[in-house]
Amino acid sequence: KYDIMVTAGSRHFFAVERTDCCRRQMQTMWCHDCASWEVDISHTPPGFPANPFLELKRPCQLTCCCFNRPIASVIDKRTGVKIGSFRDPCTCCSLRFQIRDE
């Protein structure tokens, strides 16, 4: 579970990973780039109930270094429509993402 804060320090979004324990273990081993995961993100404005906002899904995919890098889908939780995706390119000691529009 993750709190996503705004500059003022209040929680604006709340993310919950739905990945089961077996797939979480894969993420810590040598095949971490191949492991699938799912994350639900809710909009949590102060004083209002949480509203489902986005779903992030990355399927299991055979990956080797720079070849066949996995792509995660960004889905509107209310409509179920895919609104985009992002890719984690092969980089050494750096965290980067390539945003892809649909």
Side-chain angles (χ1 to χ4, degrees), residues 24-87:
R24 280 194 195 127
Q25 293 304 314
M26 284 181 64
Q27 292 172 359
T28 62
M29 300 161 72
W30 60 271
C31 57
H32 63 278
D33 282 340
C34 301
S36 64
W37 47 260
E38 294 93 25
V39 175
D40 287 330
I41 300 175
S42 295
H43 181 229
T44 56
F48 293 95
N51 298 315
F53 180 57
L54 293 175
E55 179 180 13
L56 309 177
K57 293 174 81 171
R58 188 180 86 176
C60 184
Q61 186 167 333
L62 182 61
T63 301
C64 181
C65 296
C66 294
F67 302 105
N68 203 31
R69 299 299 297 172
I71 297 172
S73 299
V74 180
I75 301 163
D76 185 323
K77 194 72 170 171
R78 287 173 275 152
T79 64
V81 175
K82 182 177 175 182
I83 57 175
S85 61
F86 60 94
R87 182 174 174 257

Side-chain angles (χ1 to χ4, degrees), residues 1-2 5-6 10 18 25 34 37 42 47 49 52 59 71 100:
K1 298 179 180 179
Y2 307 93
M5 313 294 270
V6 294
S10 63
R18 290 185 291 123
Q25 293 304 314
C34 301
W37 47 260
S42 295
I71 297 172
R100 304 159 48 105

